[in-house]
């Protein structure tokens, strides 16, 4: 269990939010990292390991034309996976990983090309500025190292989003307590 995963679970509990995970190259490692944290059952809805490209469309609602045109290793695919798992599992936040861990390139992308995505609540009531975020990674190392770094990275992106949401909510509460609106 990482301290990042523990911080993610803690912030989800504090904000009363839930999480769902969609994984490809990480094959369940993100879900395992989250569920290793005591208390994760209060916030973790579940996960979908859509390793096969067709499952990304069938289970997560990723656009079939996008998959046909660009393959599974694409920033828009990652964003749609995160949004799709969030919707499919009824969670406030969805995160996703897709990429090439090796040993061979995939979809014209070199080993170490990874996209991680976060999709969450947006709007004034949530304290979050936007619904989705995707980060492109170019990772070095062997298959195991690329997968571990992908897990670390997606949790770090989620933690930043959750921390921003918490900061926004605290500012809103402070304004209300001080007579503002």
């Amino acid at each position: 269990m990482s301290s990042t995963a523990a911080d993610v679970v803690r912030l989800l509990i504090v904000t009363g939010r839930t999480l769902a995970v969609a994984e490809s190259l990480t094959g369940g490692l993100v879900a395992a990292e989250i569920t290793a944290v005591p208390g994760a059952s209060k916030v973790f809805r579940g996960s979908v390991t859509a390793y096969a490209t067709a499952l990304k469309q069938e289970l997560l609602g990723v656009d079939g034309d996008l998959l046909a045109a660009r393959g599974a290793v694409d920033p828009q695919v990652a964003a749609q996976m995160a949004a799709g798992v969030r919707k499919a599992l009824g969670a406030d936040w969805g995160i996703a990983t897709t990429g090439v861990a090796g040993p061979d390139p995939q979809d014209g992308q070199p080993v170490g090309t990874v996209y991680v995505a976060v999709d969450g609540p947006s709007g004034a009531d949530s304290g979050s500025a936007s619904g989705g975020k995707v980060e492109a990674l170019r990772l070095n190392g062997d298959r195991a190292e690329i997968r571990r770094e992908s897990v670390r990275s997606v949790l770090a992106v989620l933690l930043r989003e959750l921390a921003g949401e918490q900061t926004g909510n605290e500012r809103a509460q402070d304004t209300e307590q001080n007579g503002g609106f």
Side-chain angles (χ1 to χ4, degrees):
M1 169 187 67
S2 71
S3 62
T4 304
D7 288 343
V8 161
V9 169
R10 180 184 56 78
L11 280 175
L12 286 167
I13 290 171
V14 165
T15 59
R17 304 283 192 182
T18 57
L19 175 66
V21 176
E23 301 187 64
S24 186
L25 85 149
T26 49
L29 294 174
V30 177
E33 195 70 18
I34 292 290
T35 58
V37 178
S41 61
K42 295 175 185 168
V43 296
F44 186 66
R45 297 278 301 151
S47 64
V48 173
T49 301
Y51 210 67
T53 299
L55 292 180
K56 291 170 181 63
Q57 180 181 3
E58 294 166 16
L59 298 177
L60 300 172
V62 175
D63 182 85
D65 292 335
L66 173 65
L67 289 167
R70 298 193 190 164
V73 184
D74 181 82
Q76 285 184 302
V77 170
Q80 289 184 19
M81 287 174 64
V85 79
R86 179 180 172 216
K87 180 180 177 185
L89 300 186
D92 298 304
W93 290 91
I95 60 176
T97 62
T98 188
V100 187
D104 300 315
Q106 178 186 335
D107 296 332
Q109 300 288 342
V111 172
T113 303
V114 175
Y115 297 97
V116 297
V118 173
D119 189 76
S122 60
D125 63 331
S126 72
S128 179
S130 64
K133 180 176 185 83
V134 178
E135 285 196 6
L137 309 173
R138 298 292 181 259
L139 304 176
N140 296 313
D142 64 20
R143 183 175 174 79
E145 291 167 324
I146 290 168
R147 294 173 77 215
R148 274 194 307 271
E149 184 58 23
S150 298
V151 172
R152 190 205 65 74
S153 294
V154 75
L155 291 175
V157 174
L158 176 59
L159 183 59
R160 285 194 301 273
E161 292 296 306
L162 289 170
E165 180 185 47
Q166 181 65 13
T167 300
N169 285 339
E170 288 170 354
R171 277 197 297 264
Q173 290 169 0
D174 181 55
T175 301
E176 290 169 7
Q177 290 170 357
N178 290 312
F181 49 87

